[in-house]
Amino acid sequence: MVAVMLVVHVHVHVVPDQVEAFRAATVANARESVREPGIARFDVLQQEGDPTRFILVEVYRDEAAPARHKETAHYQLWRDTVAPMMASPRTSVRLANVFPADDAW
């Protein structure tokens, strides 16, 4: 069986005085994102010891789902809201799912 799930880790460094606002906007986006049929998970993680660092773990059901996600109103609102909160541009790493099997998500 060939994996089709796509996992994306988005790394974000936030300006220190914007951490709470970033966190609130990102959780709001995540709550809407998990309702999308193409998204299996959308986790928001904050680094221990450095609260200005976040990782978003986005699990998409197929290769087209990230593009569909970026067309949603909640993503566009998040993108525009958090852009000035970033200490540096966000980066991402795309990963192929290995385990658990795609049908276990």
Side-chain angles (χ1 to χ4, degrees):
M1 179 177 189
V2 176
V4 295
M5 296 289 247
L6 170 65
V7 180
V8 180
H9 286 189
V10 179
H11 299 261
V12 183
H13 184 202
V14 178
V15 175
D17 68 352
Q18 295 295 310
V19 168
E20 289 309 314
F22 174 84
R23 185 177 170 147
T26 302
V27 169
N29 177 58
R31 283 192 177 116
E32 293 301 317
S33 297
V34 295
R35 295 179 179 175
E36 295 175 45
I39 295 182
R41 290 185 66 101
F42 201 104
D43 301 344
V44 179
L45 308 171
Q46 189 173 17
Q47 184 174 318
E48 288 186 6
D50 186 352
T52 67
R53 304 268 181 184
F54 290 81
I55 297 176
L56 311 181
V57 180
E58 305 171 9
V59 181
Y60 296 97
R61 297 188 185 282
D62 58 60
E63 285 286 331
R68 289 191 307 268
H69 170 63
K70 290 179 179 175
E71 294 172 356
T72 64
H74 60 268
Y75 168 79
Q76 293 170 8
L77 174 62
W78 174 83
R79 178 197 63 206
D80 296 345
T81 300
V82 302
M85 299 176 188
M86 307 253 179
S88 58
R90 65 186 187 272
T91 61
S92 64
V93 178
R94 292 170 59 102
L95 306 152
N97 180 51
V98 175
F99 181 88
D102 286 353
D103 60 0
W105 286 89

